[in-house]
């Protein structure tokens, strides 16, 4: 398989602290692999506690003494719109680097770059339009909400669609007037290295954005524990989320977490079958299956189960797996050899837990790179590990159900609760089922299309708190209540009554 290497790759990836590109104080580095050749193509500075200290100090100075938190919303919005323009102007370059670093198909990486621009554009508009509440007690009091940025935000992002997911945190944090320290995932630090130049070019003051590369156990841990970082936004895996939660407790930090998922797609016999097939195939095989909202369990009503399995598997077998840089590719290479090994172990496990209808290993004729053929297991029991555990790759479990109650029990019978997808032409059933399912987000007769105004987040092991729209601005700001008297105040007059003492 051909191996496309972008021109002009950096020789090394450094931290960006207080407007300067710097190495780790210790000089430590780590290798970054590309997922097609699985060989190192760049070294990145490995951030330690002392590097995080420097980044937080720069962010703290920019917050306390710098102009950013004190700018009018319109002035911050101008900068955010320039950032969006810059991202749009280099979307092809961004996508090329993202594809090279992550193994995502180039057409999908391009969409992610455009979504990143849209995130900045959206929060630029929102922060200008935002109004806060005033409460009047006629003739006696007026009480109003004064909103102010929380401080230095610690942002910890995952390796799947890294640039887009970084924008999802950076845009609202900056819009709210916070300063930030970003710790991107160590598997995929390449596209994050572009933010520094984009932000500087858009006029973001020095120290407002800082980036520390490194491992979660070192750089991420130091950021979470830092006393001058009052809030942490984390997207990643549920067990890491538990560790971060524990470590935030000491500082009573604000936390927003979007964690794993094992989202069900429920297909009733009265569904538009062609649309349901298109959507459920896309829902688990897009982005290489490396997406938290993937519909990785498909529950199908018995009368259409056999036909659905047959048609689904036939389509899955024709999905184009190949060079991530080829526009015809639908599934590229998984991000890293460690993750590839994990996904392949689930594929092997699935052979004893379900009936293999498609895939089941490497695509034929592909000897190197982290390639997994889209894999379909049918007749998977609800207690099977491939039904219960997040695989985060191009692997899906199909299970039949007989009644609506059974479908709901199956849908809710996992520890996760991020998304759910429902296919039925019965309006009443669609709404009642949607409202009963344990999921932060439900799509009815639709694939995963995001409206940036709506809450994004999960229940159970899928997360804590919700972001999106005004909820993101709420997370990055304090809402202070200020109470003003409009007339004489008559509290009880303690100590005012003379007792006749001489």
């Amino acid at each position: 398989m051909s191996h496309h290497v972008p021109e002009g790759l950096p020789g090394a990836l450094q931290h960006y602290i207080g407007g300067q590109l710097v190495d780790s104080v210790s000089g430590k580095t780590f290798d970054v692999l590309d997922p097609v050749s699985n060989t190192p193509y760049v070294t990145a500075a490995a951030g330690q506690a002392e590097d995080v200290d420097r980044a937080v100090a720069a962010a703290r100075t920019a917050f306390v003494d710098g102009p950013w938190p004190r700018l009018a919303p319109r002035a911050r919005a101008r900068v955010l719109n320039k950032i969006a323009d810059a991202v749009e102007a280099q979307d092809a370059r961004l996508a090329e680097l993202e594809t090279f670093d992550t193994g995502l198909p180039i057409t999908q990486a391009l969409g992610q770059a455009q979504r990143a621009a849209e995130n900045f554009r959206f929060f630029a508009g929102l922060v200008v339009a935002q109004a806060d509440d005033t409460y009047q007690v006629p003739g006696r009091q007026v009480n109003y909400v004064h909103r102010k940025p929380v401080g230095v935000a610690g942002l910890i992002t995952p390796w799947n669609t890294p640039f887009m997911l970084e924008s999802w945190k950076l845009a609202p944090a900056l819009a709210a007037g916070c300063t930030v320290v970003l710790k991107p995932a160590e598997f995929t630090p390449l596209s994050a290295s572009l933010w520094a130049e984009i932000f500087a070019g858009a006029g973001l003051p020095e120290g407002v954005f800082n980036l520390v590369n490194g491992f979660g156990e070192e750089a991420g841990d130091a950021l979470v524990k830092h006393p001058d970082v009052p809030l942490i936004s984390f997207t990643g895996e549920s067990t890491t989320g538990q560790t971060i939660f524990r470590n935030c407790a000491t500082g009573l930090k604000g936390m927003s977490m979007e964690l794993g998922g094992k989202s069900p797609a429920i297909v009733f016999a009265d569904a538009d079958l062609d649309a349901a097939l298109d959507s459920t195939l896309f829902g688990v095989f897009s982005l290489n299956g490396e997406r938290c909202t993937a519909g990785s369990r498909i529950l199908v009503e018995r009368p259409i189960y056999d036909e659905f399995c047959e048609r689904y598997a036939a389509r899955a077998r024709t999905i184009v797996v190949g060079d991530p840089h080829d526009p015809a590719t639908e599934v590229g290479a998984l991000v890293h050899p460690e993750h590839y090994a994990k996904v392949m172990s689930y594929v092997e496990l699935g052979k004893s837990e379900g009936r293999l209808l498609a895939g089941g290993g490497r695509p034929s004729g592909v000897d190197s790179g982290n390639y997994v053929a889209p894999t379909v297991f049918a007749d998977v029991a609800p207690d099977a590990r491939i039904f219960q555990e997040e695989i985060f790759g191009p692997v899906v479990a199909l299970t039949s159900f007989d009644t609506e109650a059974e479908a709901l029990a199956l849908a809710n019978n996992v520890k996760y609760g991020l998304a759910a997808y429902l296919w039925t032409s019965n309006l009443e059933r669609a709404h009642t089922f949607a409202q009963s399912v344990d999921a932060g987000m439900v799509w009815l007769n639709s694939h995963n299309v995001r409206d940036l105004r709506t809450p994004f987040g999960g229940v159970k092991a899928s997360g804590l708190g919700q972001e999106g729209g005004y909820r993101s601005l709420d997370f990055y700001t304090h809402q202070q209540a200020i109470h003003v008297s409009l007339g004489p105040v008559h509290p009880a007059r303690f100590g005012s009554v003379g007792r006749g003492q001489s």
Side-chain angles (χ1 to χ4, degrees):
M1 186 161 294
S2 70
H3 186 223
H4 170 94
V5 179
E7 285 177 19
L9 286 175
L13 296 176
Q14 295 172 286
H15 310 305
Y16 183 71
I17 296 175
Q20 304 295 315
L21 288 166
V22 295
D23 291 322
S24 289
V25 175
S26 65
K28 287 185 180 172
T29 61
F30 62 96
D31 286 338
V32 184
L33 312 180
D34 83 80
V36 172
S37 72
N38 279 330
T39 53
Y41 71 89
V42 73
T43 58
Q48 310 295 311
E50 60 269 22
D51 303 302
V52 170
D53 286 346
R54 287 169 69 196
V56 173
R60 181 87 195 131
T61 302
F63 186 77
V64 175
D65 303 325
W68 187 250
R70 280 159 283 282
L71 286 182
R74 174 70 73 193
R76 288 204 296 268
R78 279 199 188 101
V79 174
L80 293 176
N81 274 313
K82 281 184 185 162
I83 292 167
D85 293 340
V87 170
E88 270 172 359
Q90 55 182 302
D91 60 356
R93 171 71 174 163
L94 257 166
E96 183 188 35
L97 294 179
E98 194 81 309
T99 289
F100 177 70
D101 199 23
T102 63
L104 288 176
I106 187 75
T107 50
Q108 296 170 37
L110 189 61
Q112 298 300 320
Q114 289 156 352
R115 282 185 65 187
E118 178 53 32
N119 284 331
F120 280 94
R121 195 116 21 239
F122 174 82
F123 282 105
L126 199 66
V127 75
V128 172
Q130 183 161 36
D132 281 305
D133 295 322
T134 304
Y135 305 93
Q136 305 211 30
V137 184
R140 287 168 39 198
Q141 224 180 19
V142 61
N143 308 318
Y144 67 94
V145 174
H146 168 59
R147 187 181 288 269
K148 45 188 181 179
V150 172
V152 178
L155 312 179
I156 301 175
T157 50
W159 48 255
N160 58 314
T161 64
F163 192 80
M164 196 284 290
L165 279 169
E166 288 151 13
S167 76
W168 224 346
K169 299 182 191 303
L170 287 165
L174 295 174
C178 288
T179 60
V180 304
V181 177
L182 169 68
K183 204 298 278 180
E186 60 269 23
F187 283 176
T188 55
L190 183 58
S191 57
S193 67
L194 299 171
W195 288 119
E197 198 178 318
I198 290 170
F199 288 157
L204 192 71
E206 283 184 3
V208 174
F209 167 76
N210 304 274
L211 180 147
V212 178
N213 281 303
F215 295 99
E217 302 82 350
E218 296 170 352
D221 190 59
L223 185 57
V224 166
K225 290 173 177 167
H226 201 290
D228 287 335
V229 178
L231 80 179
I232 297 287
S233 177
F234 170 73
T235 301
E237 197 266 328
S238 299
T239 30
T240 313
Q242 290 171 321
T243 307
I244 291 177
F245 200 157
R246 276 192 292 274
N247 290 334
C248 281
T250 324
L252 298 172
K253 295 176 189 259
M255 260 186 319
S256 173
M257 295 197 182
E258 197 258 285
L259 307 174
K262 190 73 179 175
S263 301
I266 302 101
V267 184
F268 285 94
D270 64 354
D272 174 338
L273 203 51
D274 292 330
L277 278 163
D278 284 346
S279 172
T280 51
L281 281 153
F282 181 82
V284 74
F285 298 124
S286 57
L287 304 178
N288 296 350
E290 296 166 323
R291 57 185 304 173
C292 41
T293 52
S296 53
R297 298 181 295 142
I298 304 177
L299 313 175
V300 184
E301 197 171 5
R302 177 94 55 200
I304 58 164
Y305 179 70
D306 290 340
E307 183 194 349
F308 187 92
C309 286
E310 194 177 314
R311 290 179 63 187
Y312 191 95
R315 289 272 297 273
R317 287 191 286 267
T318 63
I319 288 173
V320 180
V321 184
D323 174 6
H325 293 274
D326 183 341
T329 294
E330 292 170 319
V331 170
L334 298 188
V335 71
H336 190 275
E338 277 173 38
H339 184 62
Y340 171 78
K342 179 195 147 179
V343 172
M344 284 301 244
S345 73
Y346 276 108
V347 169
E348 286 313 308
L349 176 66
K351 291 173 184 175
S352 63
E353 290 191 331
R355 181 162 58 93
L356 179 66
L357 298 185
R362 261 186 186 285
S364 57
V366 181
D367 303 324
S368 62
N370 307 321
Y371 292 100
V372 177
T375 298
V376 181
F377 293 107
D379 313 342
V380 180
D383 60 351
R385 283 182 59 197
I386 61 164
F387 187 94
Q388 290 289 332
E389 297 173 24
E390 184 174 44
I391 299 170
F392 220 65
V395 183
V396 69
L398 273 62
T399 303
S400 64
F401 67 85
D402 288 301
T403 65
E404 211 172 307
E406 188 189 356
L408 185 65
L410 286 170
N412 289 344
N413 170 37
V414 296
K415 70 176 182 177
Y416 297 106
L418 192 56
Y421 306 88
L422 191 59
W423 289 87
T424 175
S425 56
N426 179 326
L427 191 64
E428 195 178 308
R429 167 161 65 202
H431 286 285
T432 17
F433 196 101
Q435 291 173 16
S436 314
V437 75
D438 296 335
M441 302 168 282
V442 184
W443 278 269
L444 300 180
N445 296 329
S446 163
H447 65 296
N448 179 334
V449 276
R450 274 281 287 132
D451 177 338
L452 292 176
R453 297 168 297 182
T454 59
F456 186 97
V459 296
K460 302 196 291 194
S462 286
L464 194 75
Q466 288 167 313
E467 293 188 39
Y470 284 121
R471 289 164 184 84
S472 293
L473 296 181
D474 287 347
F475 175 68
Y476 292 106
T477 53
H478 287 309
Q479 294 164 69
Q480 181 184 39
I482 296 184
H483 303 266
V484 187
S485 281
L486 295 182
V489 182
H490 301 293
R493 302 187 64 213
F494 279 25
S496 65
V497 182
R499 293 283 178 212
Q501 294 103 330
S502 51

